[in-house]
Amino acid sequence: MGFWGAYVVCRSETPLDDLHAVIDRHDGIDEHEHRPGGWQIGRYPGAELADEGPAMLPELAEETGAPALTGYVLDSDTVFVEGYSSAGGYWRACLAREAAEAYCEDDDEDFDAEFPLPEQAAQAATTWAREAGLTPDPPGLLATFAEEDSDFAEELFFRMLDQLGI
């Protein structure tokens, strides 16, 4: 059985466990990683944050003064990525697209409209990274968004973070 839960990524001097945009929505972090430049990555088990991105990310960006993103992992099969910056607004994409589409096949929504193709996803991620003051790797992001074979989709998520410049 794989991981079900969310990763929250932001740049802040304040620990994730003290940021209201997150703690008001979840009981607690189970892993926490610090990266250069003040970036933090928190892992939150369970489904509490699955649908919170559109509401939580603008609040988190306002609270931290920097762009933020989340990755919701479904059984380590796929990751739904959502990002927000005050200049660029909200965007979403998925990693391991075929698996993501399989999870959404019973929804009445247009999958391709909800989750852009790898080219558009890489472009949105690149724009987000530049707005965050990072130096992204656009070809690497495109390859990651196009990747289908991964035993653990969270590995794709962390590869994407590296390619964003985090």
Side-chain angles (χ1 to χ4, degrees), residues 65-81:
L69 65 84
T70 60
Y72 185 68
V73 182
L74 286 79
D75 200 22
S76 294
D77 293 331
T78 186
V79 182
F80 294 143
V81 178

Side-chain angles (χ1 to χ4, degrees), residues 62-142:
E62 183 177 334
E63 189 173 354
T64 63
L69 65 84
T70 60
Y72 185 68
V73 182
L74 286 79
D75 200 22
S76 294
D77 293 331
T78 186
V79 182
F80 294 143
V81 178
E82 299 175 302
Y84 179 84
S85 66
S86 58
Y90 174 81
W91 62 275
R92 84 185 293 198
C94 62
L95 298 166
R97 187 175 181 81
E98 288 178 18
E101 193 166 11
Y103 276 97
C104 295
E105 67 186 4
D106 292 334
D107 293 348
D108 289 334
E109 298 174 16
D110 180 0
F111 182 80
D112 290 332
E114 284 289 314
F115 298 99
L117 293 170
E119 294 79 11
Q120 290 83 24
Q123 184 177 21
T126 297
T127 299
W128 180 92
R130 289 183 177 139
E131 289 171 359
L134 300 168
T135 305
D137 173 8
L141 285 164
L142 176 58

